[in-house]
């Protein structure tokens, strides 16, 4: 009996023989796209620029714009293609309309390489040709990125129209094989679940399924009536679990339980694909009705690896291509061994994977008419032809739609086909031998490991394997790796958050003391903290400090300063790391507290705790780098070392909108640099402040080094700011209060030892500019989040959206539809983006600004349905706003967006820079020249290009502004700790009678006395 590997090699060899009888190219069409692909596979720089140009081209309306972008993307290239490209750019400048026409036609041709048609009538021309060649179809309607429920409803309507048309136009068509044709309906439609609901949130599968099911039912009913097949496509990992659950919910009960003509995709590059498939098979057995699984490798490798790397998550995909191939084969066996329950559709262009499926089916005695092979439209024509000749059922995956919504699909195909690990490239472009292409992936994995240095093998197991020769290890200079966000894709994470919410709710009404000199202090008055979603609910009470407690705290901090300032920096750094570890352990509890006390949605609350953890760990690392005295210069006979001393007693005054992160950031910076601290949280987030005090006490902060006061800013805050024994004030909050602090700190009080240092972060009136060539899917999604995420209560939030006259109507149509689709509600519910504003005072102030906006500008949109209880302000958008209007100049700090129309980019930049603030700003464009201009001209401390203008990450995006947004300091930056320190230089003449040491160390131990042994 021959081995399975021998059978695979025999069948693979036969496929290659048939391919060689009808040789073809990588693509089904030749010409411009063939040449572009060839160039891309030889030059990485050209590949990147070409893909970016292809991506932007459909959005360009004018010939001059096309030529301008062509020049920006390619004129600066320095490689073997440069002379040809530069000549083409020069020609294009002289005859832009002809050049633009040719470019657009060629890129449209490239798109038609992979997109089967614009609509049903168009695609039927292709399908009839394929039918004549005994190739079936599954049609995929492009346009998965929906920003609003309007767009989702339009997608559902197009699905129904496409079903009707395909059924009508294919009447009389029969299955090419004839045998077991009941398993394979002629009409086959692939549906993208994410395109049916714009507010899908991985943390809230229940909501997603509740909205998706009623949209799917009409499509499924009509498909069943027409005898058509519906397949649930699988997209990014974030939507995988919802898609699987939706499939099982929809077909597991009710009217579709006995309908077999439904399928779902399993992606073999996912590490949990086998577990998902086993659960599906178990479900199918219990259901008692056959269903189909399309097994594919997966098309989002680049996206998944980038996303997981950015968020610190374990990557869900395999890093080695042979690992995906091996998993594909394991899943193929699982499918075929359960053939009585599930029909297998093998989606691959890899001849090894195809041959393995064939050989395995024969080994298990499964007739070739009971499964099929699926391949993408426009690619691998010779493989399709070979499979048909061998008597197998072949189905082509045919995308249908306009070029613009199809660009993401097109770019995925281009990436896939130019990857240096791709099978098609290896066979059709690099002529790799059949023997090499048919090797067992297990052997390739062993070989890859054997060729790697031993030290890198554990890294592979930890998902840190180099792909395409590029390492995903942090580049040199990256000294800090951020804490991961909680990934609410996972049910386990969702359940932990629900448990934490229940536990925190059970503690409502508890009382917390002040802490001074390590002692709990109670006063005659307790301050309540309420839930802004339900103001009758008291989250907890904290003792309210007055002037006597403030004086006592200053005295305790001053008394503790002498010893703490001489404590080795390593001990101080370990204190921060201990606090970080405690926060990590209590992460869900702290996030749940923020949901209740300040109305943060789940992901926003978790992000705040992650930031607090990062502040502690980052500042601990930074202190280790600057804590040791460093030699200033190498001079014979003299040693000069610069080092730092702490300033003294630090007063930390924090806001409520990042109630643990900002408070912790300022406190940890002051502590690790050797200052003693009086910590005063905002009056709206006092329970979060009490929790942070508990955490630092558990971590071992000495008595008096950190003191916790809760009370009115106008009373104890003002008193402490003016106090002669307070040496440093770290403040984050409103411009009004910040300027008062800045002014007061400039007055020298009797008995004051030091000039007071003020670290002051204030508000913003942050602009975002959307250029005429911007990716609107990206720009509108990020603008909506920047403006309305956490109710616009971020100093970094978008409040002025600046649109060019050229694209104003297009942007506004989609922006307003997206805003209408936002979920507004209690932040305790997962998936909510817009919750309550912080308190009644904020509610009234924002409502006053909305009334001002109605008098100054045009109310373009305001949500009508908000919860009846709680401080809920509906998302509000004004148009017709002029730069000098109050709503365009004054910080509102709520879900209110002003849209300003300008004629060109010159005025856009002028308007963006035309306020008193300079905190954050955003710019969306695909013009390299305009992006460079934005980087150079926009006045803001943090400028974000083609992404949200909120969400700074410690170490990655040091945060802070200038003008009236702050003093130019950067929280989470490399130099932030210097604001809390005094520089000092110690110089010693080390010459004795003409003799001096030859070697002087660059660093020395700290100057501490008495010395520790």
């Amino acid at each position: 009996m021959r081995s399975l590997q021998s059978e695979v090699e025999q069948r693979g060899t036969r496929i290659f023989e048939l391919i060689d009888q009808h040789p073809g190219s990588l693509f089904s069409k030749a010409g411009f796209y063939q040449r572009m692909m060839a160039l891309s596979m030889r030059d990485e720089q050209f590949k990147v620029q070409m893909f970016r140009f292809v991506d932007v081209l459909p959005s360009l309306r004018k010939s001059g714009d096309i030529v301008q972008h062509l020049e920006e993307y390619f004129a600066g290239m320095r490689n073997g293609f440069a002379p040809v490209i530069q000549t083409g750019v020069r020609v294009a400048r002289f005859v832009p309309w002809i050049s633009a026409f040719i470019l657009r036609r060629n890129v449209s041709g490239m798109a038609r390489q992979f997109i089967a048609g614009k609509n049903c009538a168009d695609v039927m021309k292709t399908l009839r040709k394929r039918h004549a060649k005994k190739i079936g179809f599954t049609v995929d309607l492009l346009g998965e990125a929906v920003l609003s429920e309007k767009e989702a409803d339009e997608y559902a309507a197009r699905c129904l129209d496409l079903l009707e048309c395909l059924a009508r136009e294919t009447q009389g068509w029969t299955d090419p094989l004839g045998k077991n044709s009941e398993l394979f309906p002629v009409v086959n439609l692939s549906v993208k679940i994410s395109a049916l609901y714009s507010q899908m949130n991985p943390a809230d599968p229940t909501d997603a399924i509740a909205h998706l099911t009623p949209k799917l039912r009409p499509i499924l009913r009509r498909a069943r009536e027409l005898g058509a097949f519906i397949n649930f496509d699988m997209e990014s990992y974030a939507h995988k679990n919802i898609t699987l659950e939706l499939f099982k919910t929809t077909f597991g009960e009710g009217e579709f339980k006995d309908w077999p003509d439904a399928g779902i995709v399993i992606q073999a590059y996912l590490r949990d694909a086998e577990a998902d498939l086993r659960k599906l098979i178990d479900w199918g057995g219990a259901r008692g009705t056959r269903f189909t699984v399309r097994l594919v490798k997966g098309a989002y490798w680049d996206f998944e690896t980038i996303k997981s790397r950015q968020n610190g998550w374990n990557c869900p995909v395999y890093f080695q291509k042979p690992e995906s191939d091996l998993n594909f084969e394991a899943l193929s066996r699982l499918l075929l061994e359960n053939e009585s329950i599930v029909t297998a559709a093998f989606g691959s262009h890899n001849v090894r994977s195809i041959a393995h499926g064939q050989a395995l089916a024969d080994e298990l005695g499964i007739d070739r008419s009971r499964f099929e092979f699926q391949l993408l439209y426009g690619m691998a024509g010779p493989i399709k032809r070979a499979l048909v000749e061998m008597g197998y059922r072949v189905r082509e995956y045919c995308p249908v739609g306009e070029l613009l919504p199809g660009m993401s699909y097109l770019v995925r195909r281009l990436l896939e086909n130019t990857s240096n690990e791709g099978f098609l490239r290896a066979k059709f472009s690099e002529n790799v031998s059949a023997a090499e292409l048919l090797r067992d992936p297990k052997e390739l994995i062993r070989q890859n490991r054997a060729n790697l240095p031993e030290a890198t093998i554990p890294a592979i197991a930890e998902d840190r394997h180099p792909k395409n020769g590029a390492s995903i290890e942090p580049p040199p200079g990256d000294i800090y790796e951020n804490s991961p966000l909680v990934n609410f894709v996972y049910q386990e994470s969702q359940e932990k958050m629900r448990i934490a919410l229940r536990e925190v709710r059970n503690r409502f009404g508890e009382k917390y003391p002040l802490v001074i000199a390590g002692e709990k202090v109670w006063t005659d008055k307790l301050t309540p903290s309420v839930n802004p979603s339900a103001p009758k609910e008291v989250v907890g009470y904290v003792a309210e400090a007055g002037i006597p407690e403030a004086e006592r705290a200053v005295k305790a901090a001053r008394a503790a300063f002498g010893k703490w300032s001489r404590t080795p920096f390593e001990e101080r750094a370990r204190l921060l790391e201990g606090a970080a570890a405690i926060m990590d352990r209590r992460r869900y509890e702290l996030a749940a507290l923020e949901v209740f006390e300040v109305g943060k949605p789940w992901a926003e609350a978790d992000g705040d705790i992650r930031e607090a953890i990062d502040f502690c760990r980052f500042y601990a690392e930074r202190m280790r780098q600057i804590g040791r005295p460093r030699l200033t210069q190498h001079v014979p006979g003299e040693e000069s070392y610069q080092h730092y001393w702490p300033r003294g007693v630090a007063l930390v005054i924090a806001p409520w909108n990042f109630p643990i992160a900002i408070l912790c950031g300022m406190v940890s910076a002051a502590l690790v640099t050797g200052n003693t601290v009086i910590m005063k949280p905002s009056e709206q987030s006092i329970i979060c402040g009490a929790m942070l005090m508990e955490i630092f006490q558990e971590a071992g902060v000495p008595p008096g080094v950190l003191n916790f006061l809760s009370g009115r800013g106008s009373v104890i805050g003002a008193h402490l700011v003016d106090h002669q024994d307070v040496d440093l004030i770290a403040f984050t909050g409103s411009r009004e209060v910040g300027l008062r602090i800045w002014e007061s700190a400039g007055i020298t009080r009797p008995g004051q030892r030091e000039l007071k240092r003020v670290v002051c972060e204030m508000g913003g009136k942050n602009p975002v500019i959307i250029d005429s060539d911007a990716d609107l899917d990206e720009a509108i999604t990020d603008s909506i989040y920047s403006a309305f995420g956490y109710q616009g209560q971020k100093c970094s939030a978008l409040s002025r959206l600046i649109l060019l006259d050229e694209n104003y109507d297009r942007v506004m149509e989609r922006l307003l539809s997206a805003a209408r689709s936002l979920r507004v509600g209690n932040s305790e519910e997962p998936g909510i983006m817009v919750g309550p504003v912080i308190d009644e005072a904020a509610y009234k102030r924002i409502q006053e600004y909305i009334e001002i906006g109605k008098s100054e500008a045009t109310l373009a949109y305001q949500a009508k349905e908000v919860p009846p209880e709680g401080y809920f302000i509906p998302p509000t958008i004004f148009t017709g706003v002029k730069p000098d209007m109050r709503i365009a100049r004054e910080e509102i700090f709520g879900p209110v967006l002003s849209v300003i129309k300008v004629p060109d980019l010159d005025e856009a930049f002028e308007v963006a820079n035309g306020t008193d603030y300079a905190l954050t700003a955003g710019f969306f464009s695909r013009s390299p020249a305009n992006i460079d201009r934005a980087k150079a001209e926009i006045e803001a401390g943090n400028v974000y290009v083609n992404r949200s203008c909120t969400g700074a990450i410690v170490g990655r995006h040091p945060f802070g502004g200038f003008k009236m947004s702050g003093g130019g300091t950067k929280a989470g930056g490399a130099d932030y700790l210097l604001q809390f320190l005094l520089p000092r230089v110690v110089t010693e003449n080390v010459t004795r009678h003409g003799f001096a040491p030859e070697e002087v160390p660059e660093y020395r131990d700290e100057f501490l006395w008495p010395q520790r042994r």
Side-chain angles (χ1 to χ4, degrees), residues 477-483 613-615 617-618 621 954-955:
D478 269 13
I479 57 161
Y480 181 74
E481 185 171 334
N482 295 93
S483 305
I613 294 168
D614 278 343
F615 274 134
R617 291 176 175 165
F618 180 76
E621 285 194 15
V954 172

Side-chain angles (χ1 to χ4, degrees), residues 16 422-423 425-438:
F16 282 128
F423 176 88
R425 172 175 175 173
K427 166 60 182 169
F428 293 99
S429 295
E430 297 177 353
N431 298 314
V432 176
S433 69
E436 181 66 23
L437 293 172
L438 293 173

